[in-house]
Amino acid sequence: MGSDWFRRYGQAPQDGPRLVCFPHAGGAASAFVPLSRTLGAAVDVVAVQYPGRQDRHQEPPVDDIARLADRLAEEMSALDDQRPFAFFGHSMGAVLAYETARRLEQRSAPGPERLFLSGRGAPAAAPSPHDQVRTDAHVLAAIRRLGGTTGGVFQDPDLLAMVMPALRADYRAIGAYAWTPGAPLNVPFTVLIGDNDPVVTVEEASDWRGFSAARTDLRVFSGGHFYLDHHTREVADLVAEALGVDALVP
């Protein structure tokens, strides 16, 4: 796509919408490989690769939501095609998807036709207490609570050393994030949440309704913060239906 910020794990369809996916804290673009493969040729799935991980591991990670959203809005505006697109953000990625969409709307630039906001409560004027982690030990405890990293990473000092810079930066970013008041987005939302998420309640997720001037749909799945790992097909079906593409191959 001519940008260091996006990764595509399949062949782009000739037509149809694009789904731009924003990973969770400590996550990388490859987190969306299963969703990309499940959607197949129905949707052009493109995942954001934040600095400081995988093939961008030599770049310093960005520890500020506003700076990340500013840059991602620039990158989206620079795309040279007119394909309609939507955003899918999970956890920290939901905040970034929302803030990037705000910036595109403020610039009167083409924006997403829908926001899929997953595993995250609606923004607030003060940072969430769940995001207030001050030390590496607190970061690792938070990750264990969410269940998002295999135990092998915690037991391997070399692997842990590789992932900690990105984790520290992401938790600094989301831990300092506070919503700046503004008008609701003129974009429909689809909010997705696990019914056993340890840090986000269904009620907190439903509060996203106040941030859209259009319709907001709430979908609750069985599971925890990373419910998507066990419901990839159901989420892919939901995305395809919301974007108005043909039914997926069984």
Side-chain angles (χ1 to χ4, degrees):
M1 297 181 63
S3 170
D4 290 338
W5 287 80
F6 303 115
R7 301 291 178 271
R8 180 186 284 118
Y9 295 103
Q11 185 174 358
Q14 292 184 348
D15 53 15
R18 171 174 293 144
L19 184 69
V20 182
C21 299
F22 298 70
H24 56 281
S30 60
F32 291 101
V33 168
L35 183 61
S36 176
R37 290 176 175 169
T38 306
L39 285 166
V43 178
D44 180 26
V45 180
V46 175
V48 175
Q49 188 75 294
Y50 307 136
R53 58 215 79 198
Q54 292 186 335
D55 55 338
R56 301 187 72 184
H57 71 277
Q58 293 184 337
E59 301 176 49
V62 180
D63 62 357
D64 183 88
I65 293 293
R67 284 198 290 134
L68 277 168
D70 287 342
R71 183 58 189 272
L72 284 163
E74 293 174 4
E75 294 292 330
M76 290 300 306
S77 298
L79 295 181
D80 58 1
D81 61 16
Q82 302 300 313
R83 188 188 297 268
F85 63 92
F87 286 166
F88 189 113
H90 181 68
S91 197
M92 183 186 82
V95 173
L96 270 173
Y98 165 73
E99 288 292 347
T100 302
R102 292 181 85 187
R103 284 154 172 76
L104 291 172
E105 188 169 278
Q106 290 163 2
R107 300 176 184 190
S108 298
E113 296 189 347
R114 180 175 290 269
L115 292 186
F116 297 91
L117 302 165
S118 170
R120 183 77 191 183
S128 168
H130 295 298
D131 300 324
Q132 302 301 298
V133 292
R134 304 299 183 190
T135 67
D136 286 357
H138 291 153
V139 169
L140 294 176
I143 296 300
R144 288 190 179 96
R145 184 181 184 193
L146 295 175
T149 302
T150 60
V153 172
F154 297 117
Q155 304 304 321
D156 188 320
D158 292 333
L159 286 176
L160 195 57
M162 289 178 61
V163 302
M164 281 308 301
L167 278 169
R168 291 187 196 108
D170 289 354
Y171 269 95
R172 282 196 299 269
I174 199 64
Y177 172 73
W179 181 68
T180 301
L185 286 173
N186 293 309
V187 182
F189 290 179
T190 298
V191 179
L192 308 91
I193 188 70
D195 62 2
N196 197 32
D197 192 307
V199 296
V200 185
T201 67
V202 173
E203 181 180 3
E204 289 168 336
S206 69
D207 287 343
W208 278 107
R209 290 192 174 100
F211 292 78
S212 171
R215 174 173 174 169
T216 297
D217 298 322
L218 176 67
R219 294 294 300 270
V220 181
F221 295 85
S222 61
H225 192 68
F226 290 95
Y227 72 89
L228 180 58
D229 294 344
H230 306 287
H231 294 282
T232 304
R233 178 61 195 225
E234 295 98 315
V235 172
D237 287 339
L238 181 154
V239 168
E241 180 180 3
L243 297 183
V245 302
D246 293 338
L248 305 181
V249 177

Coordinates of all heavy atoms in Angstrom, one line a residue, residues 15-64:
D15 N -12.8 -5.2 -6.0 CA -13.7 -4.2 -5.5 C -14.1 -4.5 -4.1 O -13.6 -5.4 -3.5 CB -14.9 -4.1 -6.5 CG -15.6 -5.4 -6.7 OD1 -15.3 -6.4 -5.9 OD2 -16.4 -5.6 -7.6
G16 N -15.1 -3.8 -3.6 CA -15.5 -4.1 -2.2 C -14.8 -3.2 -1.2 O -13.9 -2.5 -1.5
P17 N -15.3 -3.2 0.0 CA -14.8 -2.3 1.0 C -13.5 -2.7 1.6 O -13.1 -3.9 1.5 CB -15.9 -2.3 2.1 CG -16.5 -3.6 2.0 CD -16.4 -4.0 0.5
R18 N -12.8 -1.8 2.3 CA -11.6 -2.1 3.0 C -11.9 -2.0 4.5 O -12.6 -1.1 5.0 CB -10.5 -1.1 2.6 CG -9.2 -1.1 3.5 CD -8.2 -0.2 2.9 NE -7.7 -0.7 1.6 CZ -7.4 0.1 0.6 NH1 -7.5 1.4 0.7 NH2 -7.0 -0.4 -0.5
L19 N -11.3 -2.9 5.3 CA -11.4 -2.9 6.7 C -10.0 -2.6 7.3 O -9.1 -3.5 7.2 CB -11.9 -4.2 7.3 CG -12.2 -4.3 8.8 CD1 -13.4 -3.4 9.2 CD2 -12.5 -5.7 9.2
V20 N -9.8 -1.5 7.9 CA -8.5 -1.1 8.5 C -8.6 -1.5 10.0 O -9.5 -1.0 10.7 CB -8.3 0.4 8.4 CG1 -6.9 0.8 9.0 CG2 -8.3 0.8 6.9
C21 N -7.7 -2.3 10.4 CA -7.7 -2.9 11.8 C -6.6 -2.3 12.7 O -5.5 -2.3 12.3 CB -7.6 -4.4 11.7 SG -8.9 -5.3 10.8
F22 N -7.0 -2.0 13.9 CA -6.1 -1.3 14.8 C -5.9 -2.3 16.0 O -6.8 -2.6 16.8 CB -6.7 0.0 15.4 CG -6.9 1.1 14.3 CD1 -7.9 0.9 13.4 CD2 -6.2 2.2 14.3 CE1 -8.2 1.9 12.4 CE2 -6.4 3.2 13.4 CZ -7.4 3.1 12.4
P23 N -4.6 -2.8 16.2 CA -4.4 -3.7 17.3 C -4.5 -3.2 18.7 O -4.5 -2.0 18.9 CB -3.0 -4.2 17.0 CG -2.7 -3.8 15.6 CD -3.5 -2.5 15.4
H24 N -4.5 -4.1 19.7 CA -4.6 -3.8 21.1 C -3.2 -3.4 21.6 O -2.2 -3.5 20.9 CB -5.0 -5.0 21.9 CG -4.2 -6.3 21.6 ND1 -4.3 -7.0 20.5 CD2 -3.2 -6.8 22.3 CE1 -3.4 -8.0 20.5 NE2 -2.7 -7.9 21.6
A25 N -3.1 -3.0 22.8 CA -1.9 -2.6 23.5 C -0.9 -3.8 23.5 O -1.3 -4.9 23.9 CB -2.1 -2.1 24.9
G26 N 0.3 -3.5 23.0 CA 1.3 -4.6 22.9 C 1.1 -5.5 21.6 O 1.9 -6.3 21.3
G27 N 0.0 -5.3 20.9 CA -0.3 -6.1 19.7 C 0.4 -5.6 18.5 O 0.9 -4.5 18.4
A28 N 0.3 -6.4 17.4 CA 0.9 -6.1 16.1 C -0.2 -6.4 15.1 O -1.2 -7.0 15.3 CB 2.1 -6.9 15.9
A29 N 0.2 -6.0 13.8 CA -0.8 -6.2 12.7 C -1.2 -7.7 12.6 O -2.3 -8.0 12.2 CB -0.1 -5.7 11.4
S30 N -0.3 -8.6 12.9 CA -0.6 -10.0 12.7 C -1.7 -10.5 13.5 O -2.2 -11.6 13.3 CB 0.7 -10.8 12.9 OG 1.2 -10.6 14.2
A31 N -2.1 -9.7 14.5 CA -3.2 -10.2 15.4 C -4.5 -10.3 14.6 O -5.4 -11.1 15.0 CB -3.5 -9.1 16.5
F32 N -4.5 -9.7 13.4 CA -5.8 -9.8 12.6 C -5.6 -10.7 11.4 O -6.5 -10.7 10.5 CB -6.1 -8.4 12.1 CG -6.6 -7.5 13.2 CD1 -5.7 -6.5 13.7 CD2 -7.8 -7.6 13.7 CE1 -6.1 -5.7 14.8 CE2 -8.3 -6.8 14.7 CZ -7.4 -5.8 15.3
V33 N -4.6 -11.6 11.4 CA -4.5 -12.6 10.4 C -5.7 -13.5 10.3 O -6.3 -13.8 9.3 CB -3.2 -13.4 10.5 CG1 -3.2 -14.7 9.6 CG2 -2.0 -12.5 10.2
P34 N -6.2 -14.1 11.5 CA -7.4 -14.9 11.4 C -8.6 -14.3 10.8 O -9.3 -14.9 10.1 CB -7.6 -15.3 12.9 CG -6.2 -15.2 13.5 CD -5.6 -14.0 12.8
L35 N -8.9 -13.0 11.2 CA -10.0 -12.3 10.7 C -9.8 -12.1 9.2 O -10.8 -12.2 8.4 CB -10.2 -11.0 11.4 CG -11.4 -10.2 11.0 CD1 -12.7 -10.9 11.3 CD2 -11.4 -8.8 11.8
S36 N -8.6 -11.7 8.8 CA -8.4 -11.5 7.4 C -8.6 -12.8 6.6 O -9.3 -12.7 5.5 CB -6.9 -11.0 7.2 OG -6.6 -10.9 5.8
R37 N -8.1 -13.9 7.0 CA -8.3 -15.2 6.3 C -9.8 -15.6 6.3 O -10.2 -16.2 5.3 CB -7.5 -16.3 7.0 CG -6.0 -16.1 6.8 CD -5.1 -17.1 7.5 NE -3.7 -17.0 7.2 CZ -2.8 -17.6 7.9 NH1 -3.1 -18.4 8.9 NH2 -1.5 -17.5 7.5
T38 N -10.5 -15.3 7.3 CA -11.9 -15.7 7.4 C -12.8 -14.8 6.5 O -13.7 -15.3 5.8 CB -12.5 -15.6 8.8 OG1 -11.6 -16.3 9.7 CG2 -13.9 -16.1 8.9
L39 N -12.5 -13.5 6.4 CA -13.2 -12.7 5.5 C -12.8 -13.0 4.0 O -13.6 -12.8 3.1 CB -12.9 -11.2 5.8 CG -13.7 -10.7 7.0 CD1 -13.1 -9.3 7.5 CD2 -15.1 -10.5 6.7
G40 N -11.6 -13.5 3.8 CA -11.2 -13.9 2.5 C -11.2 -12.8 1.5 O -10.8 -11.6 1.7
A41 N -11.8 -13.0 0.3 CA -11.9 -12.1 -0.8 C -13.1 -11.1 -0.7 O -13.2 -10.2 -1.5 CB -12.0 -12.8 -2.1
A42 N -13.9 -11.2 0.4 CA -15.0 -10.4 0.5 C -14.7 -9.0 0.9 O -15.3 -8.0 0.5 CB -16.0 -11.0 1.6
V43 N -13.6 -8.8 1.7 CA -13.2 -7.5 2.2 C -11.7 -7.4 2.1 O -11.0 -8.4 2.4 CB -13.6 -7.3 3.7 CG1 -13.2 -6.0 4.3 CG2 -15.2 -7.5 3.8
D44 N -11.2 -6.2 1.8 CA -9.8 -5.9 1.8 C -9.3 -5.6 3.2 O -9.5 -4.4 3.7 CB -9.5 -4.8 0.8 CG -8.0 -4.5 0.8 OD1 -7.2 -5.4 1.0 OD2 -7.6 -3.3 0.5
V45 N -8.8 -6.6 4.0 CA -8.4 -6.4 5.3 C -7.0 -5.9 5.4 O -6.1 -6.5 4.9 CB -8.6 -7.7 6.2 CG1 -8.1 -7.4 7.6 CG2 -10.0 -8.2 6.1
V46 N -6.8 -4.7 6.0 CA -5.5 -4.1 6.2 C -5.3 -3.8 7.6 O -6.2 -3.2 8.3 CB -5.4 -2.8 5.3 CG1 -4.1 -2.1 5.6 CG2 -5.6 -3.1 3.9
A47 N -4.2 -4.2 8.2 CA -3.9 -4.0 9.6 C -2.9 -3.0 9.8 O -1.9 -3.0 9.1 CB -3.5 -5.4 10.3
V48 N -3.0 -2.2 10.9 CA -2.1 -1.2 11.2 C -0.9 -1.8 11.9 O -1.1 -2.7 12.8 CB -2.7 -0.1 12.1 CG1 -1.6 0.9 12.6 CG2 -3.8 0.6 11.4
Q49 N 0.3 -1.5 11.5 CA 1.5 -1.9 12.2 C 2.1 -0.7 12.9 O 2.7 0.2 12.3 CB 2.6 -2.5 11.2 CG 3.8 -3.1 11.9 CD 3.4 -4.5 12.4 OE1 2.6 -4.6 13.4 NE2 4.0 -5.5 11.9
Y50 N 2.0 -0.7 14.2 CA 2.5 0.4 15.0 C 4.1 0.3 15.0 O 4.6 -0.8 14.9 CB 2.0 0.4 16.5 CG 0.6 0.3 16.7 CD1 0.0 -0.6 17.6 CD2 -0.3 1.1 16.0 CE1 -1.4 -0.7 17.8 CE2 -1.7 1.1 16.2 CZ -2.2 0.2 17.1 OH -3.6 0.1 17.3
P51 N 4.8 1.4 15.2 CA 6.2 1.3 15.3 C 6.6 0.5 16.6 O 5.9 0.5 17.6 CB 6.6 2.8 15.5 CG 5.5 3.6 14.9 CD 4.3 2.8 15.2
G52 N 7.8 -0.1 16.5 CA 8.3 -0.8 17.7 C 8.0 -2.2 17.8 O 8.2 -2.8 18.8
R53 N 7.4 -2.9 16.7 CA 7.1 -4.3 16.8 C 7.2 -5.0 15.5 O 7.1 -4.3 14.4 CB 5.7 -4.5 17.4 CG 4.6 -3.8 16.6 CD 3.5 -3.3 17.6 NE 3.9 -2.1 18.2 CZ 3.3 -1.6 19.3 NH1 2.4 -2.2 19.9 NH2 3.8 -0.4 19.8
Q54 N 7.5 -6.3 15.6 CA 7.6 -7.1 14.4 C 8.6 -6.5 13.4 O 9.7 -6.2 13.8 CB 6.3 -7.4 13.8 CG 5.4 -8.3 14.6 CD 4.1 -8.8 14.0 OE1 3.6 -8.2 13.1 NE2 3.6 -9.9 14.5
D55 N 8.2 -6.3 12.1 CA 9.2 -5.7 11.2 C 9.5 -4.3 11.4 O 10.4 -3.7 10.7 CB 8.7 -6.0 9.7 CG 7.3 -5.4 9.5 OD1 6.5 -5.2 10.5 OD2 6.9 -5.1 8.4
R56 N 8.9 -3.6 12.4 CA 9.2 -2.2 12.7 C 9.8 -2.2 14.1 O 9.8 -1.1 14.8 CB 8.0 -1.3 12.7 CG 7.3 -1.3 11.4 CD 6.1 -0.2 11.3 NE 6.7 1.1 11.3 CZ 5.9 2.2 11.4 NH1 4.6 2.1 11.5 NH2 6.5 3.4 11.4
H57 N 10.4 -3.3 14.6 CA 10.9 -3.4 15.9 C 12.1 -2.4 16.2 O 12.4 -2.1 17.4 CB 11.3 -4.8 16.3 CG 12.6 -5.3 15.6 ND1 12.6 -5.8 14.3 CD2 13.9 -5.3 16.0 CE1 13.8 -6.1 14.0 NE2 14.6 -5.8 15.0
Q58 N 12.8 -2.0 15.2 CA 13.9 -1.1 15.4 C 13.5 0.4 15.5 O 14.3 1.2 15.9 CB 15.0 -1.3 14.2 CG 15.6 -2.6 14.2 CD 16.7 -2.7 13.2 OE1 16.7 -2.0 12.2 NE2 17.7 -3.6 13.4
E59 N 12.3 0.7 15.3 CA 11.8 2.0 15.4 C 11.3 2.2 16.8 O 10.7 1.3 17.5 CB 10.6 2.3 14.4 CG 11.0 2.1 13.0 CD 9.8 2.3 12.1 OE1 9.1 3.3 12.2 OE2 9.5 1.4 11.2
P60 N 11.4 3.4 17.4 CA 10.9 3.7 18.7 C 9.4 3.7 18.7 O 8.8 4.3 17.9 CB 11.5 5.0 19.1 CG 11.8 5.7 17.7 CD 12.1 4.6 16.8
P61 N 8.8 3.0 19.7 CA 7.3 3.0 19.8 C 6.8 4.4 20.2 O 7.6 5.2 20.8 CB 7.0 2.0 20.9 CG 8.3 1.9 21.7 CD 9.4 2.1 20.8
V62 N 5.6 4.7 19.8 CA 5.0 6.0 20.1 C 4.1 5.8 21.4 O 3.3 5.0 21.4 CB 4.1 6.5 18.9 CG1 3.5 7.8 19.3 CG2 5.0 6.6 17.7
D63 N 4.3 6.7 22.4 CA 3.6 6.5 23.6 C 2.6 7.6 23.9 O 2.4 8.0 25.0 CB 4.6 6.5 24.8 CG 5.4 7.8 24.9 OD1 5.3 8.7 24.1 OD2 6.2 7.9 25.9
D64 N 1.9 8.0 22.8 CA 0.9 9.1 22.9 C -0.2 8.8 21.9 O 0.1 8.7 20.7 CB 1.6 10.4 22.6 CG 0.6 11.6 22.8 OD1 0.5 12.1 23.9 OD2 0.0 12.0 21.8

